Amino acid sequence: MDFLKARRLMVETQIKDRGIKDKRVIEAMLKIERHRFVPPDLQQSAYDDNPLPIGDGQTISQPYIVALMTELLELKGREKVLEIGTGSGYQSALLAELARDVYTVEIVENLYRSADKILSELEYKNIKTRLGDGYQGWAEYAPFDGITVTCAPENIPQPLIDQLAENGRLVIPVGRSKDVQELVLVRKKSGRLERKSIIPVRFVPMIKPEK
Ligand code: SAH
């Protein structure tokens, strides 16, 4: 299979044609070999217009949704970004192309390990991975200019709001139902929060760790 051709087609039809404009996001999606982030038997489907299973009941997000969430972060290259839900590591790689430093937290050990492995193989030096609970964010490296959450909590976790920098952007699916949530963009301005609904989405629910 010609992965480069598949990737170009994905970017044209799923990303540009649907309104993603940020040139840096588009360039990075052309560059990153998405098929390396999915299980070997699914590589043929890596550029399809849907999420794919990556094991442990989890998924790699649909390409358009990854692009949209990343564009909403408005990355110019000097930011510190936090990702909750490393999953396959695909969005972590995308963020690493677009920001200065990426911090990513995953709660499922298998996924944490395999994402960490592929991201080191690809020699990303500006990504720090962590096995832990994303509800807590990653206080040690806060504040973050951008925070992206790829699993859906019922409400926005307070630590994530606290760890957002002034003028920072938080992109997060929020909702009680596991079938439909709302993608929300939160911006912190003069310490206050501006909240905007983007589109309905469907993400895996955010896992609450056992106490
Ligand atoms: N960005 C990823 C999306 C993975 S799906 C990608 O494109 O591959 C969401 C991920 O969130 C899953 O891997 C899931 O295990 C993880 N997750 C769920 N609850 C979590 C929590 N409380 N803290 C951190 N990660 C969590």
Side-chain angles (χ1 to χ4, degrees):
M1 174 163 175
D2 187 342
F3 289 120
L4 178 60
K5 199 171 160 197
R7 195 151 65 242
R8 285 183 177 147
L9 189 65
M10 170 192 87
V11 169
E12 283 306 319
T13 60
Q14 301 175 40
I15 307 301
K16 289 192 188 168
D17 287 357
R18 289 195 198 145
I20 300 297
K21 298 226 155 45
D22 187 325
K23 290 208 169 61
R24 298 178 71 242
V25 173
I26 292 169
E27 279 307 307
M29 289 193 86
L30 275 172
K31 175 176 168 186
I32 299 173
E33 299 185 319
R34 186 172 159 93
H35 60 276
R36 297 191 58 175
F37 293 85
V38 306
D41 56 322
L42 288 178
Q43 290 206 343
Q44 307 290 322
S45 310
Y47 298 94
D48 292 359
D49 191 11
N50 45 256
L52 292 172
I54 53 173
D56 291 274
Q58 302 300 333
T59 55
I60 178 172
S61 308
Q62 179 188 10
Y64 172 69
I65 294 295
V66 178
L68 177 64
M69 292 178 80
T70 307
E71 182 172 68
L72 289 167
L73 293 176
E74 296 175 20
L75 302 174
K76 304 283 183 269
R78 305 181 61 169
E79 299 82 1
K80 207 165 32 151
V81 178
L82 174 67
E83 176 190 31
I84 304 299
T86 315
S88 66
Y90 176 69
Q91 192 175 9
S92 326
L94 186 65
L95 296 168
E97 296 283 342
L98 301 170
R100 194 187 61 205
D101 292 303
V102 178
Y103 299 86
T104 181
V105 182
E106 172 57 55
I107 201 166
V108 175
E109 183 158 6
N110 282 340
L111 297 174
Y112 157 77
R113 283 189 199 285
S114 53
D116 188 61
K117 181 163 175 277
I118 175 74
L119 293 170
S120 356
E121 276 170 24
L122 295 173
E123 295 185 8
Y124 281 106
K125 307 252 183 284
N126 58 340
I127 304 178
K128 269 199 185 9
T129 57
R130 174 184 169 184
L131 177 63
D133 173 24
Y135 275 99
Q136 305 309 321
W138 198 340
E140 195 183 341
Y141 295 103
F144 300 99
D145 307 295
I147 301 181
T148 176
V149 183
T150 63
C151 41
E154 288 185 9
N155 298 295
I156 302 179
Q158 187 61 37
L160 301 184
I161 291 176
D162 297 341
Q163 292 171 25
L164 193 61
E166 175 61 24
N167 250 313
R169 284 82 56 198
L170 163 65
V171 182
I172 182 167
V174 186
R176 217 165 294 165
S177 150
K178 70 173 178 31
D179 298 320
V180 62
Q181 308 113 16
E182 180 178 55
L183 188 65
V184 174
L185 169 65
V186 178
R187 193 184 289 265
K188 202 183 252 187
K189 271 203 177 158
S190 315
R192 296 185 48 194
L193 302 178
E194 283 178 11
R195 182 180 166 134
K196 190 175 165 191
S197 298
I198 308 296
I199 49 165
V201 286
R202 186 197 263 184
F203 278 86
V204 295
M206 197 163 175
I207 298 166
K208 288 203 178 104
E210 314 278 331
K211 289 265 160 59

